[in-house]
Amino acid sequence: MNRNWHAVLVRHLLLLIGACLLLGLLTGHYGLCLAIGLGAYLVNILRQLLRLQRWLSHQQGDEPPPEAHGLWGDVFDSIYNLQRRDSRVRARLQGVIDRVQESTAALRDAVIMLDSDGNLEWWNPAAQTLLGLKTPQDAGQPVTNLVRHPRFKDYFEAEHYAEPLEMRSPLNDRVRLQFMITRYGNNEHLMVVRDVTRIHQLEQMRKDFIANVSHELRTPLTVITGYLETLLDNAGHLNPRWLRALQQMQQQGSRMQSLLNDLLLLAKLEATDYPSESHPVNIQGMLQSVVNDATALSGERHHQIVLQASPRLCMKGSEPELRSAFSNLVFNAVKYTPDNGQVRVRWWQDDNGLHLSVQDSGIGIEGKHIPRLTERFYRVDSSRSSSTGGTGLGLAIVKHVLLRHKGQLEITSVPGKGSTFTCHFPLSLLAPAEMEEDPA
Ligand code: ADP
């Protein structure tokens, strides 16, 4: 009801005062009548206030307000309406919360909410099954106390959550779990954990299949190329019509051999997370021999290959793996740089880490290809790549070797001008040796 209570109140007060004055006129006691009238008015206000207070404090459920008239009736009704609206909103919100909880309870993926310090706030039933969290005992515990694997601890504390973490379940060795963390709100974390055992098994089957096929193909191929070599050694006795065919067979045979070697190397790199052997590697010495091989590869094409490397700057890692990665980069620079072009190889250290860059003045790569270059068999121009004898696996090998050495590959290129491939390694891989300055 939207009555003008201000005017009503004034009217009531005027009427009360008028009645008191009239009574005073009749009795001759103006002051007393006025005091009794206003006192009665005040008592009524206090009585209604007490009823309101009693109703509010003893209210259970949807109990209607006490009967009242006038302004007090309006006050009671307004409060009652507000309360009903409030409880309707609350019921609606509770419904939403219930539905969210029901749907997250039905999820097979674990959903865990962590506060800004990484302590457990809320989790769904799947988190109990996948990670063994106990309700309510584990509430408020740091997540790194409950998932104790060092890889999880490193991942959680590093706060680089762009890529998910995959590792064995803390409860069952045969289960593989994938952890995905997203930050939200006031640096709180939402963690989703899923069982990826089946995907992992399929992936493993794929890797094993490629490794086995490559291995099985190796022996027959060695026999075939061996005979081809013998035949070509005796080319003088052969019908000249066959010579060209045999030469092409030998060329394709050696391409297949390098393809199988690369596939086997990739399979080996994927089989374990970290290099099996890790000791100080003299990178300068290794680069010198890679540059010598690259000069031999360049041959008549006369590339100018320059090496600038800090002589005593050593890095912890696997020598064969690093050699394979760096030689892929240097050989690519030679392959994709026209005759008489320049290739510059640098190895240095600065505050950000250890770096190896291979810069060429070659054909360059268009920006749209760069993000996909490290995919297996991805080629910018397949006709050119097959003419250079590439397998399409070189940069995939580089990516895997770097991953295993906590490194990152940066590619910059200007089509027609040249490309720079830079490998960045963390300072933690620096092998005990004297610090060197940037050679540039
Ligand atoms: P490939 O065996 O074909 O060289 P890679 O994986 O080593 O395979 O390289 C993938 C593709 O990246 C190549 O086919 C080539 O198109 C491009 N590429 C690699 N290095 C260079 C470079 N230095 N300059 C220009 N293009 C390059």
Side-chain angles (χ1 to χ4, degrees):
M1 224 189 310
N2 278 328
R3 288 181 69 178
N4 182 355
W5 286 110
H6 185 254
V8 173
L9 263 184
V10 171
R11 205 168 55 239
H12 280 183
L13 265 177
L14 286 178
L15 274 175
L16 178 74
I17 293 169
C20 290
L21 289 178
L22 194 65
L23 213 63
L25 187 69
L26 294 176
T27 57
H29 299 289
Y30 287 103
L32 185 68
C33 290
L34 211 55
I36 290 174
L38 289 177
Y41 193 73
L42 194 65
V43 167
N44 183 45
I45 290 177
L46 290 176
R47 193 175 67 90
Q48 298 292 12
L49 265 178
L50 273 175
R51 290 176 75 204
L52 175 65
Q53 191 273 336
R54 219 173 295 135
W55 172 60
L56 288 176
S57 56
H58 294 110
Q59 206 188 25
Q60 278 169 358
D62 217 10
E63 203 178 306
E67 267 307 311
H69 301 286
L71 175 62
W72 282 103
D74 205 40
V75 169
F76 287 163
D77 287 347
S78 302
I79 293 177
Y80 185 53
N81 286 339
L82 274 178
Q83 279 184 333
R84 284 188 24 173
R85 199 178 331 147
D86 186 44
S87 63
R88 270 201 304 274
V89 171
R90 242 184 304 149
R92 214 172 40 238
L93 287 180
Q94 189 58 48
V96 173
I97 292 173
D98 289 348
R99 271 211 310 282
V100 170
Q101 283 194 338
E102 270 168 35
S103 51
T104 49
L107 276 180
R108 270 188 280 163
D109 297 343
V111 182
I112 300 146
M113 288 164 90
L114 307 166
D115 65 17
S116 51
D117 297 325
N119 300 326
L120 297 180
E121 270 188 339
W122 177 89
W123 56 93
N124 68 346
Q128 302 177 23
T129 331
L130 288 181
L131 298 174
L133 301 187
K134 292 186 205 75
T135 317
Q137 298 95 304
D138 289 338
Q141 295 265 5
V143 67
T144 41
N145 276 6
L146 299 162
V147 186
R148 286 175 165 270
H149 200 289
R151 280 187 63 205
F152 178 77
K153 196 166 181 287
D154 290 349
Y155 176 71
F156 188 77
E157 283 168 4
E159 303 206 343
H160 301 308
Y161 303 136
E163 291 292 320
L165 167 75
E166 211 183 293
M167 60 174 219
R168 288 207 175 90
S169 154
L171 301 182
N172 182 348
D173 252 13
R174 274 180 293 177
V175 175
R176 295 285 299 190
L177 296 180
Q178 188 186 58
F179 293 76
M180 283 171 286
I181 300 181
T182 314
R183 261 177 300 209
Y184 70 98
N186 194 16
N187 203 26
E188 283 114 332
H189 302 73
L190 179 73
M191 187 161 93
V192 178
V193 186
R194 57 199 320 209
D195 182 344
V196 288
T197 313
R198 205 169 144 57
I199 301 171
H200 183 75
Q201 279 167 348
L202 288 173
E203 180 74 358
Q204 198 54 46
M205 273 163 63
R206 177 190 67 77
K207 287 177 192 166
D208 291 349
F209 176 76
I210 294 176
N212 291 339
V213 169
S214 313
H215 195 73
E216 292 300 323
L217 285 176
R218 227 176 174 183
T219 318
L221 197 62
T222 314
V223 175
I224 294 169
T225 46
Y227 277 120
L228 282 171
E229 214 165 294
T230 319
L231 283 172
L232 281 167
D233 283 347
N234 299 298
H237 307 294
L238 281 176
N239 182 338
R241 277 201 347 228
W242 292 106
L243 188 63
R244 173 130 181 79
L246 285 174
Q247 278 169 340
Q248 277 192 354
M249 282 161 82
Q250 196 196 30
Q251 205 183 3
Q252 295 304 323
S254 65
R255 261 195 82 195
M256 271 175 84
Q257 252 167 346
S258 30
L259 185 63
L260 291 183
N261 289 342
D262 279 0
L263 279 172
L264 279 169
L265 177 60
L266 262 178
K268 203 177 117 207
L269 293 176
E270 282 182 332
T272 53
D273 283 346
Y274 296 107
S276 42
E277 34 157 357
S278 178
H279 38 71
V281 183
N282 174 5
I283 302 289
Q284 196 232 10
M286 176 203 284
L287 288 176
Q288 189 57 61
S289 89
V290 169
V291 165
N292 292 346
D293 292 350
T295 313
L297 177 74
S298 167
E300 300 287 287
R301 298 176 60 208
H302 300 298
H303 291 97
Q304 193 193 334
I305 308 174
V306 182
L307 171 66
Q308 287 178 297
S310 307
R312 295 214 292 278
L313 181 56
C314 296
M315 174 183 152
K316 281 182 267 178
S318 153
E319 186 180 352
E321 289 182 18
L322 291 171
R323 173 184 288 274
S324 156
F326 297 165
S327 49
N328 267 315
L329 293 178
V330 180
F331 294 171
N332 272 353
V334 170
K335 282 193 297 187
Y336 299 105
T337 300
D339 298 0
N340 305 314
Q342 279 130 36
V343 177
R344 184 173 174 226
V345 184
R346 289 172 68 213
W347 167 240
W348 78 101
Q349 178 205 344
D350 62 18
D351 291 346
N352 301 321
L354 310 167
H355 315 271
L356 174 117
S357 78
V358 180
Q359 187 182 6
D360 64 52
S361 60
I363 56 170
I365 308 155
E366 265 185 74
K368 64 176 181 191
H369 297 292
I370 290 180
R372 299 196 57 193
L373 284 186
T374 53
E375 286 174 20
R376 278 155 214 228
F377 299 114
Y378 187 84
R379 285 158 168 149
V380 173
D381 177 351
S382 48
S383 57
R384 186 191 285 268
S385 293
S386 43
S387 70
T388 57
T391 60
L393 294 173
L395 291 180
I397 291 174
V398 173
K399 183 180 111 176
H400 270 84
V401 170
L402 292 198
L403 264 181
R404 289 155 63 85
H405 288 80
K406 301 181 189 139
Q408 276 178 341
L409 180 65
E410 184 192 333
I411 307 172
T412 51
S413 187
V414 180
K417 290 243 159 74
S419 320
T420 306
F421 289 73
T422 312
C423 309
H424 302 287
F425 299 99
L427 275 176
S428 57
L429 292 190
L430 180 68
E434 280 176 37
M435 302 282 238
E436 292 290 329
E437 289 303 312
D438 182 344

